[in-house]
Amino acid sequence: MNPLKAIVANLRFLDSPVTRRLIATRSIRFTQNQVTHFSLYTPSPFLDHSHDFPFPNLHRKIYFSSKSIPIAELILTSHWSKELEHELEKCYPSMTHETVVYVLKRLEANPDKAWRFFDWVSTKKWFRASSTVYGLILRILATEETIRQFWITLWTMKRKGFYFYEEIYFSILVVFKRKKMDKDCTSLTHFCNRSIREDAMHSVVANVVGIISVSKWGDGVNGELAKVKIQLSDNFVIRVLRELRSTPLKAYEFFRWVGRQSGYEHNTMTYNALARVLARTDSIEKFWSVIEEMKSVGHELDIDTYLKISRMLQRHRMVEDAVKLYELMMDSSYKPSVKDCSSLLKSLSESDKPNMDLVFRVSKKYESTEHTLSKAIYDGIHRSLTNSGKLDEAEDIVNHMRKAGHEPDNITYGQVIAGFCKMRRLEEACKVMEEMESCGCIPDTNTWTLLVQGHCVANEVDRALRCLHKMIEKGCNLDAAVLRVMTDSFLGQKRIDDAYKLLVEVATKHGASPSRSTYEKLIVNLLKIEKFEEALNLLCLTRKHKHTPILEPFVQYISNFGSVEDAVKFLKSKGSPRSYLIYFRVFKSLLGKGRLSEAEDLLSKIPSYMSKKKEIRELFDSNVFRLRPLS
């Protein structure tokens, strides 16, 4: 966008009645709650490599700025009205596609205002919609309160020819299922299936992708593409790029080919789509060249694209690229939030040896935009230091954090405990727990879990058990994670009986709810040493905790060497479902092992209504027994 136009738009925006009122309100709040900003950085370079570990002195720095009020903040702090729409209309020159995406991301927690903004902007001739914008607003509207607006938007998206991608479908379906919106789940699936059947563009997209996929790019591919009747549109280009995401370099060549076609010019939407495809190890150089090209032609990454790419880079451990991309976005008009910064710092800290240069680059870039370091950012730096074993420097950052007005909490202390445990300095880890309590910071379940886990990793299982009992004495809830850690440690030392006693005690006396996988692992180990009664007891406990019944280990145990009495106990157990299918599985497994006499003996001891079931009678009457899948 022309910089002069943007400045003029912002000036007009600031001179409006709504904005003047908003600024006045914010000015009053500022004088009442004046915020002091602290900086970790001195005027000299942040990293002084003349020291083993450079850490700058803390300097107090107060910022007074008069930036224009962001559009999203204006919407959030105003009632929707014609007056507000009039003010938004004045922002038109700066209301780019990237801006709309950014505003919608800021309004995610307020679906009603997000809908009003989208409904307003989508009627403007100067606004160019995209599948990205529709996907974003649909995810925001997937609530019971805005479900009507959701369906209106979805059908509008279809009518305007935007494709309903599987990615959007599955993300919304998960939300509907979590909120138990069963009717909408069914309707959404029907809509998706119908859209696939009615997709007129599908065959052309598939044809183009097929041509590109089977051959190396060259004159042959160019010639084949020239024969296809293609109506180039943003929607078509983006769909082909998505289909070619497993071969990013071919997607890049297709993008270049499209750009050479008469009458078509790439825009911010197609550039962003290509960026999503290229952010991979084997095409990262092309990715950065496209980012530079975007800047040169006046386009920027939209915030939704940035977040998806950043998560992808972090997932593939391409952390240097993730940091470089964060720095680029912080220099753009669409800066990531403090939550995004904190998430990146957490990702950097998860390495066995966190790269502190990258950690400080992120925090420095965050602060350079006149943000004071929040507690979450301090925690991100602190986590990397403790994970690196730099505990003295970690203590320094805590002191800086205190001076900035942030007191250590369970997260801070927990990271120190994890750092000591990682270095096998367990006594010091326990002392940190004592220090917490003396300072009035009561350790929570997560903090205790870190201490228990640290002892388990160091193979100090008995000491871990003592920590667990202290945890119970302090009134902390035992979550599934700490029980899994303890059970795995006992099993690792072949102390199956101890694991069993612990699980029964915490589940029956202390209201703990072990996970299904923990129950299953212990049941399998008990059956291996023929502790059938104990395993059956755990099966009953799983029902108490509403887990899906764990049946297969028992069926295999009975068919291999269990007695008829064992089978009867299992089938009558409270943990076994009252269904003929489980009887069928037991008989089928016994017969499959050639134990016909045991199967017939068991048949005589089960309830008659079960033994007379057609499927069970056919199983015995069949001349040739063969396995078949259960229906």
Side-chain angles (χ1 to χ4, degrees):
M1 175 185 175
N2 187 312
L4 181 59
K5 287 184 179 179
I7 293 169
V8 171
N10 284 332
L11 288 172
R12 286 211 310 268
F13 182 51
L14 282 169
D15 195 39
S16 66
V18 173
T19 309
R20 285 200 302 271
R21 187 167 64 251
L22 177 60
I23 292 173
T25 304
R26 288 173 57 82
S27 298
I28 293 170
R29 286 204 301 266
F30 179 78
T31 56
Q32 290 175 340
N33 303 293
Q34 194 170 32
V35 178
T36 301
H37 295 247
F38 293 94
S39 172
L40 280 171
Y41 311 105
T42 64
S44 58
F46 182 72
L47 291 176
D48 178 5
H49 296 284
S50 63
H51 299 86
D52 290 335
F53 181 82
F55 202 76
N57 295 322
L58 195 72
H59 284 262
R60 190 168 180 268
K61 188 163 58 179
I62 301 175
Y63 297 112
F64 297 93
S65 63
S66 56
K67 287 190 172 183
S68 61
I69 307 300
I71 297 171
E73 192 168 344
L74 173 64
I75 296 172
L76 283 169
T77 54
S78 307
H79 292 292
W80 197 272
S81 62
K82 291 294 183 182
E83 184 184 15
L84 176 60
E85 290 181 2
H86 181 66
E87 299 307 322
L88 291 174
E89 189 77 52
K90 294 178 182 179
C91 304
Y92 150 61
S94 60
M95 195 83 75
T96 63
H97 179 271
E98 298 97 318
T99 303
V100 171
V101 171
Y102 190 76
V103 171
L104 288 174
K105 288 294 290 184
R106 286 286 310 277
L107 297 174
E108 277 183 313
N110 197 322
D112 183 64
K113 286 193 173 180
W115 157 253
R116 287 178 178 273
F117 170 70
F118 174 78
D119 187 49
W120 171 80
V121 78
S122 60
T123 63
K124 303 305 171 186
K125 293 181 180 179
W126 42 260
F127 174 65
R128 198 168 179 179
S130 70
S131 54
T132 297
V133 172
Y134 271 106
L136 183 53
I137 188 62
L138 285 171
R139 287 193 290 268
I140 294 171
L141 295 175
T143 69
E144 291 183 16
E145 295 75 18
T146 53
I147 194 62
R148 177 176 170 274
Q149 293 93 323
F150 171 87
W151 286 110
I152 291 172
T153 305
L154 188 59
W155 282 103
T156 303
M157 178 183 182
K158 177 180 172 63
R159 179 171 52 81
K160 292 189 175 181
F162 293 102
Y163 188 62
F164 189 59
Y165 295 110
E166 283 188 353
E167 175 191 350
I168 305 173
Y169 165 69
F170 284 119
S171 65
I172 294 172
L173 192 65
V174 167
V175 173
F176 282 165
K177 286 182 177 179
R178 187 173 65 245
K179 296 180 179 179
K180 297 182 179 180
M181 298 168 66
D182 298 333
K183 290 182 179 179
D184 294 292
C185 280
T186 303
S187 299
L188 186 68
T189 300
H190 287 325
F191 179 91
C192 186
N193 292 335
R194 180 177 176 181
S195 296
I196 292 172
R197 290 194 304 270
E198 297 175 356
D199 181 17
M201 195 183 288
H202 173 73
S203 59
V204 183
V205 171
N207 191 10
V208 169
V209 170
I211 292 170
I212 297 171
S213 298
V214 297
S215 306
K216 186 177 180 180
W217 196 280
D219 292 338
V221 172
N222 287 324
E224 289 298 316
L225 289 177
K227 297 176 185 177
V228 182
K229 293 181 180 179
I230 302 174
Q231 278 191 316
L232 287 177
S233 66
D234 301 342
N235 201 18
F236 177 83
V237 174
I238 292 169
R239 284 188 62 176
V240 173
L241 289 173
R242 286 177 59 87
E243 293 298 321
L244 291 171
R245 59 188 178 274
S246 60
T247 53
L249 295 178
K250 288 188 175 182
Y252 176 80
E253 293 294 347
F254 169 72
F255 181 86
R256 289 286 170 240
W257 177 83
V258 169
R260 294 192 296 269
Q261 304 310 301
S262 176
Y264 186 84
E265 184 178 349
H266 284 301
N267 53 48
T268 185
M269 292 169 277
T270 54
Y271 269 108
N272 272 272
L274 179 63
R276 295 189 189 205
V277 173
L278 293 178
R280 288 164 173 77
T281 308
D282 55 347
S283 55
I284 195 65
E285 290 184 7
K286 292 291 186 187
F287 169 80
W288 287 115
S289 71
V290 167
I291 294 298
E292 288 300 316
E293 182 179 322
M294 287 179 69
K295 289 168 62 179
S296 69
V297 295
H299 299 309
E300 295 186 81
L301 279 183
D302 65 58
I303 192 66
D304 194 52
T305 296
Y306 162 73
L307 292 173
K308 285 182 170 58
I309 292 175
S310 182
R311 284 194 289 267
M312 187 188 308
L313 294 173
Q314 292 171 50
R315 189 167 58 248
H316 294 143
R317 306 310 303 162
M318 299 169 67
V319 289
E320 289 190 27
D321 293 291
V323 170
K324 182 179 176 181
L325 187 64
Y326 175 78
E327 291 172 325
L328 180 142
M329 286 300 290
M330 288 298 282
D331 288 333
S332 76
S333 308
Y334 311 104
K335 294 172 175 51
S337 67
V338 61
K339 180 182 176 182
D340 302 324
C341 177
S342 179
S343 176
L344 178 55
L345 288 172
K346 183 178 180 181
S347 180
L348 292 171
S349 72
E350 289 170 351
S351 168
D352 288 337
K353 293 183 179 180
N355 186 325
M356 295 308 303
D357 282 350
L358 296 179
V359 171
F360 287 128
R361 275 173 58 184
V362 171
S363 57
K364 183 177 182 179
K365 176 54 71 172
Y366 176 80
E367 197 186 20
S368 70
T369 57
E370 299 188 359
H371 284 91
T372 182
L373 294 188
S374 68
K375 172 67 165 54
I377 304 301
Y378 277 114
D379 281 336
I381 302 169
H382 184 256
R383 187 183 297 110
S384 288
L385 288 169
T386 54
N387 202 23
S388 301
K390 299 180 183 295
L391 298 177
D392 291 337
E393 289 85 351
E395 188 175 351
D396 286 341
I397 195 70
V398 173
N399 292 332
H400 290 315
M401 188 173 74
R402 277 195 172 105
K403 291 176 183 177
H406 306 294
E407 285 300 315
D409 56 12
N410 270 279
I411 293 174
T412 314
Y413 283 112
Q415 289 171 178
V416 177
I417 289 169
F420 276 126
C421 288
K422 185 177 180 180
M423 299 173 70
R424 302 293 194 268
R425 293 161 63 176
L426 302 178
E427 293 292 341
E428 289 165 279
C430 292
K431 287 179 181 177
V432 172
M433 190 72 85
E434 294 171 5
E435 180 191 333
M436 281 183 70
E437 294 182 292
S438 67
C439 293
C441 183
I442 306 303
D444 61 12
T445 298
N446 291 334
T447 312
W448 277 106
T449 299
L450 287 169
L451 189 62
V452 172
Q453 187 172 20
H455 282 82
C456 288
V457 171
N459 213 27
E460 295 284 351
V461 184
D462 289 319
R463 291 179 66 179
L465 186 59
R466 286 198 290 273
C467 290
L468 189 73
H469 284 305
K470 283 186 180 179
M471 182 177 177
I472 295 170
E473 290 171 9
K474 298 291 185 180
C476 286
N477 294 323
L478 300 181
D479 66 1
V482 73
L483 296 176
R484 183 187 68 249
V485 169
M486 281 300 310
T487 303
D488 287 348
S489 296
F490 275 132
L491 294 179
Q493 293 188 353
K494 306 298 181 186
R495 296 167 62 179
I496 301 173
D497 286 335
D498 288 334
Y500 169 74
K501 290 174 185 175
L502 173 66
L503 220 59
V504 171
E505 179 187 352
V506 298
T508 57
K509 295 181 180 179
H510 303 293
S513 180
S515 68
R516 186 183 186 277
S517 61
T518 299
Y519 272 123
E520 184 171 18
K521 188 177 292 185
L522 185 50
I523 285 172
V524 168
N525 278 271
L526 285 167
L527 292 175
K528 282 181 181 178
I529 59 173
E530 299 187 32
K531 297 269 185 174
F532 180 77
E533 296 290 343
E534 290 83 350
L536 206 58
N537 186 30
L538 290 185
L539 179 63
C540 294
L541 287 176
T542 61
R543 183 176 183 183
K544 173 185 174 183
H545 295 126
K546 299 181 180 180
H547 292 309
T548 306
I550 300 165
L551 305 176
E552 195 56 34
F554 289 96
V555 174
Q556 293 302 317
Y557 172 83
I558 291 167
S559 65
N560 284 321
F561 37 77
S563 65
V564 174
E565 288 71 25
D566 289 338
V568 172
K569 287 179 182 178
F570 168 64
L571 292 171
K572 290 184 177 180
S573 164
K574 291 181 179 179
S576 180
R578 296 290 178 265
S579 168
Y580 81 90
L581 289 174
I582 187 59
Y583 285 80
F584 182 87
R585 285 171 67 176
V586 171
F587 284 123
K588 186 175 181 179
S589 188
L590 282 170
L591 293 170
K593 296 293 183 178
R595 301 181 66 185
L596 178 60
S597 60
E598 287 89 344
E600 290 176 337
D601 190 10
L602 178 61
L603 186 65
S604 68
K605 295 183 178 181
I606 66 173
S608 59
Y609 68 89
M610 283 292 182
S611 61
K612 291 178 181 179
K613 284 284 184 181
K614 177 183 176 183
E615 291 84 356
I616 293 176
R617 296 307 314 174
E618 288 178 350
L619 195 60
F620 278 91
D621 294 341
S622 176
N623 292 323
V624 180
F625 176 75
R626 59 187 177 82
L627 291 175
R628 65 187 179 202
L630 292 177
S631 59

